[in-house]
Amino acid sequence: MKILVITGSPRKNGNSNTLADNFIKGAKEAGHIVERFDAAFKNVHPCVACNKCGMNGECVFKDDFEFVKNNIINSDAVVFTTPMYYFGISSQIKTVIDRFYAINGKIHVPKKAILIVTYADHSMKDAHPIISHYETLLEYLGWSDSGKIIVPDVWKEGDINNTQYPEQAYKLGKNI
Ligand SMILES: Cc1cc2nc3c(=O)[nH]c(=O)nc-3n(C[C@H](O)[C@H](O)[C@H](O)COP(=O)(O)O)c2cc1C
């Protein structure tokens, strides 16, 4: 399979990026082709709703989103990894998702998807808005969920290293 991993954390060695690393390791070992887009380190202009693309055409911005465009259309699976910011996904990854607008007509084809979220609080309930957003997005696009890794109780960079989640992410990559 061809897999596109989109990460949303500005912490290079942060918790969600560690899970992305482990997922990718497993997926590559299983023989998949994996591309990675670290949204927080790229130049992606927010959608300005000019509608010049008509939801299926040229975007007025020529920036790093070109990489996503070139890799998502033919991908079999898309992985979203993000820290929780105020009970939502990070603005860095949301900016990339909003730019799907210009390729909306090309990505309504069946794909697998995976969600990986890290956050500091203890309650699983806090993750409900992100899970609901993800599931609604998948339903709209006609994609199917192939797994979620929802990780509470990690705050500082490196907290994830003391948990079983890196191994879980590795196995998810290996078995997707
Ligand atoms: C701007 C900002 C907002 C945050 N909002 C929340 C939140 O709503 N709930 C929570 O439990 N943690 C929140 N956190 C903590 C992060 O989700 C937590 O540190 C997470 O492990 C970061 O993941 P990362 O290391 O992959 O960046 C917030 C952190 C920042 C910087």
Side-chain angles (χ1 to χ4, degrees):
M1 278 196 296
K2 186 165 184 249
I3 303 172
L4 175 64
V5 178
I6 306 174
T7 72
S9 175
R11 301 207 286 196
K12 269 204 166 86
N13 299 309
N15 299 310
S16 54
N17 274 326
T18 298
L19 298 183
D21 294 344
N22 279 272
F23 174 90
I24 290 168
K25 184 169 183 281
K28 283 188 171 166
E29 282 178 20
H32 301 300
I33 299 162
V34 186
E35 299 293 346
R36 175 176 183 150
F37 189 78
D38 291 308
F41 300 94
K42 302 292 180 190
N43 173 33
V44 179
H45 198 287
C47 175
V48 294
C50 65
N51 256 320
K52 296 251 166 55
C53 65
M55 293 184 82
N56 193 15
E58 281 301 302
C59 180
V60 293
F61 297 112
K62 293 286 166 270
D63 56 22
D64 291 337
F65 185 77
E66 291 295 302
F67 180 90
V68 176
K69 180 180 168 181
N70 291 335
N71 285 283
I72 202 170
I73 292 170
N74 295 323
S75 67
D76 303 293
V78 179
V79 181
F80 300 98
T81 80
T82 182
M84 179 188 293
Y85 284 174
Y86 289 93
F87 309 101
I89 60 177
S90 74
S91 55
Q92 290 90 339
I93 197 165
K94 181 63 163 59
T95 301
V96 173
I97 293 171
D98 287 352
R99 290 283 297 277
F100 287 1
Y101 196 74
I103 53 172
N104 196 65
K106 297 183 178 72
I107 57 173
H108 276 260
V109 288
K111 292 184 195 297
K112 293 171 186 262
I114 283 174
L115 174 68
I116 296 176
V117 186
T118 56
Y119 61 103
D121 278 349
H122 314 299
S123 165
M124 284 306 281
K125 187 170 146 276
D126 288 4
H128 289 179
I130 294 181
I131 293 169
S132 170
H133 180 189
Y134 165 78
E135 287 177 345
T136 307
L137 177 67
L138 262 51
E139 191 179 353
Y140 170 70
L141 291 171
W143 297 3
S144 57
D145 177 43
S146 283
K148 302 180 194 72
I149 302 182
I150 309 296
V151 184
D153 282 318
V154 287
W155 187 6
K156 298 184 300 300
E157 237 174 359
D159 280 355
I160 199 84
N161 297 326
N162 309 318
T163 72
Q164 30 101 17
Y165 294 105
E167 177 68 13
Q168 199 177 314
Y170 169 77
K171 283 188 180 148
L172 187 57
K174 194 115 190 177
N175 297 321
I176 186 177

